[in-house]
């Protein structure tokens, strides 16, 4: 998840080592010796390889790092079919699907922290779920379809 602490073990790291998650650079990288880096997953991070570049050499992870989405709120809390709903959270850049009570909705990714979705025909009162390349997350509360 965005903001989560990550530790990277390797060799030859320096204070100028650059870490990227799916091409998005992390800030606040802390060097501990030459073999250990700690940092937080940056806003906008993408599911994909983690790279560490030190002195012109780039090391790439063997496996993709999964950026899990997190939903924190949505507004309005209720409305009829066709209502535009702002869904906020983190890790939303790579959203592939949004559902209202299990029914797929049209959506636009506005930023890594916001999606705008339209309540679809046939939607039922229920949680809003967002699926990304890194996983899925559901709202804590239900959206009420009127």
């Amino acid at each position: 998840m965005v903001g989560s602490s990550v530790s990277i073990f390797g060799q030859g790291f320096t204070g100028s080592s650059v870490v990227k998650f799916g091409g998005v650079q992390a800030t606040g990288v802390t060097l501990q010796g030459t073999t250990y880096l700690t940092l937080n997953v940056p806003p906008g991070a993408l599911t994909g390889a983690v790279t560490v570049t030190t002195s012109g050499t780039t090391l790439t992870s063997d496996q993709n790092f999964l950026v899990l989405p997190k939903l924190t709120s949505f507004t309005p809390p209720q409305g009829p079919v066709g209502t535009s709903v702002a869904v906020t959270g983190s890790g939303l850049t790579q959203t592939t699907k949004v559902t209202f009570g299990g029914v797929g909705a049209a959506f636009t990714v506005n930023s890594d922290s916001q999606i705008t979705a339209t309540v679809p025909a046939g939607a039922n009162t229920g949680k809003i779920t967002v699926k990304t390349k890194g996983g899925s997350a559901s709202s804590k509360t239900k959206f009420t379809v009127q």
Side-chain angles (χ1 to χ4, degrees):
M1 246 187 282
V2 170
S4 296
S5 179
V6 174
S7 299
I8 299 175
F9 294 98
Q11 59 185 354
F13 297 149
T14 68
S16 62
S17 294
V18 175
V19 180
K20 294 182 179 181
F21 291 81
V24 177
Q25 186 171 335
T27 58
V29 177
T30 302
L31 174 66
Q32 298 179 0
T34 60
T35 62
Y36 187 69
L37 298 171
T38 59
L39 55 126
N40 291 328
V41 177
L46 303 174
T47 290
V50 175
T51 60
V52 179
T53 303
T54 303
S55 302
T57 300
T58 300
L59 303 172
T60 304
S61 62
D62 291 338
Q63 298 178 347
N64 283 339
F65 182 86
L66 301 178
V67 178
L68 299 173
K70 179 180 180 181
L71 302 185
T72 55
S73 65
F74 59 86
T75 187
Q78 60 190 11
V81 169
T83 299
S84 181
V85 179
V87 180
T88 58
S90 62
L92 303 177
T93 299
Q94 293 178 305
T95 297
T96 58
K97 187 173 186 178
V98 176
T99 62
F100 285 77
V103 179
F107 66 92
T108 301
V109 175
N110 303 319
S111 68
D112 190 57
S113 61
Q114 186 183 60
I115 297 168
T116 302
T118 304
V119 178
N124 300 306
T125 294
K127 293 185 177 186
I128 297 173
T129 300
V130 172
K131 182 177 179 183
T132 70
K133 290 182 179 182
S136 62
S138 295
S139 60
K140 291 180 182 179
T141 60
K142 294 179 180 181
F143 179 88
T144 301
V145 179
Q146 297 175 319

